[in-house]
Amino acid sequence: MKIFQHVQDIGDLRVALAEAQEVKRDRFQWQHLGKNKTALLIFFNNSLRTRLSTQKAAMNLGMNVIVLDVNQGAWKLETERGVVMDGDKSEHLLEAIPVMASYCDLIGVRSFARFESRQDDYEEKILNQFIRYSGRPVFFMESATVHPLQAFADLITIAEYSPLWSPAGGQTESTGNALHRGATGGHSIKVVMTWAPHPKALPQAVPNSFAEWMNAAANLSAHSPLFTPPQGGAGGGLSGGGLSGGGLSIDFVITHPEGYELDPQFVGDARVEYDQMKAFEGADFIYAKNWSCPGVTRPDDYGKVLHDYHTMMDWCVSARQMAVTNDAHFMHCLPVRRNMIVTDDVIEGPRSLVIPEAANREISAQVVLKRMLEAL
Ligand code: SN0
């Protein structure tokens, strides 16, 4: 793997999920791969999980890690060509990238949407410069439009907490939900991504990637079982047997107020439902996230918060909405603002998965770094 940006970069999701379980079984078995190799993690924005989990994943693989917080001690970087650099920016990204690349073997970059121009953000101007000028494999650690390490961890988490899936050291049947009968004769799970209020304008990267990965998983599972639970529990991995009923399929629904329509390239064939309560009915997984206006149906409002959040508080996920679900699990990528996105009781409740979901960030990062090391 040379670039990790979109779901297709990881290849067959069933293989990737099996590899994730293999990592969980013994995360230190590939230390030879990373020996004398260096990962450089570059942050233009804040991070807790991405920084720690990616660093840990690289260390599990025997790598050295260098972390650079561009805004804390590095020269301020100019990103545009043709600018007379007489302001506060001392260095150009076009020199900084090849220099940084000369000290490492793999590069991870975090650079959020700037909301200055929808076109610049959706063209991935910054990350594409790293791809073009570094000559190194580049993995996206939340770019302007995607957060694939999060979405992969989310998929791993959904697989583990789905009915009948019992990976090594993970969940057992008893924690799963009651089963629905799916259209294909197997069992289906309903996954609902819901917008929730927030005081600030947040990027669309997390919902974009979650939608992209869920659609890919749903499409795959419509044709053949996506999750084939490992038999006997202990082994994990590809050799697992299938479910007699044909495995699990995914019914994916997105709910948000009008104006927050996500980019069609990510929404794909997902069902969009503007009535949050209706969307929640019978759900097995609730995935909450705020995002600012994607500028799809309201181009002039790109990157804006569309309404005073005080008027949107009925979208905050609470016991009221959870009551109409199929005893759904609650998920959020974190950091989460309590009693804006979700109430204390729901996030602290027995169906909340936010901690195992965050723990799976180490696993998704390790699968990605392992694939990149194997391709060096
Ligand atoms: C980021 C986002 O994309 O929404 C990172 C999530 C992984 N979240 C924030 O910037 C939250 C900031 C805040 O003040 O709540």
Side-chain angles (χ1 to χ4, degrees):
M1 192 195 297
K2 296 289 183 202
I3 295 170
F4 182 62
Q5 175 177 10
H6 290 296
V7 65
Q8 57 268 27
D9 297 326
I10 201 87
D12 189 327
L13 285 178
R14 288 165 295 211
V15 176
L17 284 168
E19 205 168 318
Q21 295 310 315
E22 179 63 12
V23 168
K24 277 197 164 172
R25 199 176 59 76
D26 174 9
R27 59 197 74 189
F28 305 111
Q29 59 183 302
W30 298 280
Q31 296 242 327
H32 56 282
L33 279 180
K35 190 174 180 333
N36 297 333
K37 296 282 188 288
T38 300
L40 173 59
L41 312 183
I42 302 168
F43 291 91
F44 288 86
N45 306 91
N46 295 343
S47 172
L48 185 147
R49 275 148 295 277
T50 299
R51 172 190 309 255
L52 297 181
S53 64
T54 311
Q55 192 163 355
K56 178 65 164 58
M59 295 190 308
N60 292 348
L61 290 161
M63 301 190 81
N64 298 306
V65 188
I66 307 175
V67 180
L68 178 67
D69 289 297
V70 175
N71 298 324
Q72 280 163 24
W75 303 109
K76 266 192 138 210
L77 295 175
E78 177 58 61
T79 57
E80 297 300 312
R81 287 187 73 250
V83 172
V84 177
M85 289 172 58
D86 59 356
D88 60 341
K89 294 176 178 157
S90 317
E91 178 153 23
H92 203 286
L93 198 59
L94 293 181
E95 283 81 54
I97 290 173
V99 169
M100 294 188 287
S102 73
Y103 308 135
C104 67
D105 301 280
L106 308 178
I107 302 184
V109 183
R110 163 161 288 193
S111 179
F112 288 178
R114 297 178 171 188
F115 297 141
E116 286 161 12
S117 144
R118 183 180 204 277
Q119 192 180 341
D120 285 1
D121 287 344
Y122 274 74
E123 277 176 5
E124 292 290 3
K125 241 180 146 173
I126 304 292
L127 264 291
N128 279 329
Q129 297 197 61
F130 276 92
I131 290 168
R132 189 156 167 204
Y133 299 110
S134 73
R136 301 277 182 245
V138 173
F139 54 98
F140 285 47
M141 301 195 300
E142 189 171 342
S143 69
T145 66
V146 291
H147 195 1
L149 288 166
Q150 180 65 49
F152 184 16
D154 296 331
L155 181 63
I156 295 167
T157 309
I158 288 171
E160 289 175 345
Y161 285 84
S162 292
L164 302 185
W165 168 269
S166 56
Q171 299 315 117
T172 60
E173 282 183 38
S174 59
T175 59
N177 312 50
L179 293 168
H180 304 277
R181 271 277 156 201
T184 55
H187 300 293
S188 88
I189 53 167
K190 181 174 178 184
V191 178
V192 179
M193 177 166 79
T194 182
W195 181 94
H198 198 283
K200 285 173 40 185
L202 295 192
Q204 294 113 41
V206 170
N208 283 346
S209 282
F210 187 72
E212 182 186 77
W213 285 66
M214 277 306 118
N215 282 327
N219 287 337
L220 200 61
S221 67
H223 300 106
S224 62
L226 174 63
F227 312 143
T228 48
Q231 243 155 22
L238 280 169
S239 57
L243 278 172
S244 52
L248 292 167
S249 60
I250 298 176
D251 175 22
F252 179 49
V253 180
I254 304 173
T255 182
H256 55 72
E258 278 184 52
Y260 287 102
E261 291 76 14
L262 293 163
D263 195 288
Q265 67 170 303
F266 299 108
V267 176
D269 295 330
R271 267 195 295 143
V272 177
E273 170 59 64
Y274 294 107
D275 182 336
Q276 190 192 35
M277 284 302 272
K278 219 169 134 190
F280 272 47
E281 278 170 20
D284 299 293
F285 291 87
I286 297 298
Y287 190 89
K289 182 72 185 84
N290 170 267
W291 61 89
S292 62
C293 177
V296 172
T297 52
R298 294 172 57 155
D300 295 341
D301 293 324
Y302 173 65
K304 292 192 181 138
V305 177
L306 294 176
H307 321 271
D308 180 344
Y309 68 82
H310 294 98
T311 66
M312 305 304 285
M313 291 309 285
D314 56 337
W315 282 81
C316 173
V317 178
S318 70
R320 172 178 64 84
Q321 294 103 319
M322 295 307 279
V324 303
T325 68
N326 182 32
D327 197 15
H329 287 291
F330 176 82
M331 299 177 70
H332 188 281
C333 64
L334 305 180
V336 73
R337 294 189 184 224
R338 286 180 176 215
N339 305 305
M340 288 289 316
I341 302 280
V342 58
T343 57
D344 294 305
D345 55 323
V346 170
I347 197 170
E348 290 170 7
R351 306 300 281 172
S352 173
L353 295 182
V354 295
I355 306 304
E357 181 183 357
N360 276 333
R361 291 292 308 277
E362 178 183 339
I363 307 304
S364 64
Q366 190 170 337
V367 172
V368 169
L369 293 179
K370 174 176 168 286
R371 296 269 186 99
M372 287 192 156
L373 286 172
E374 284 165 348
L376 277 181

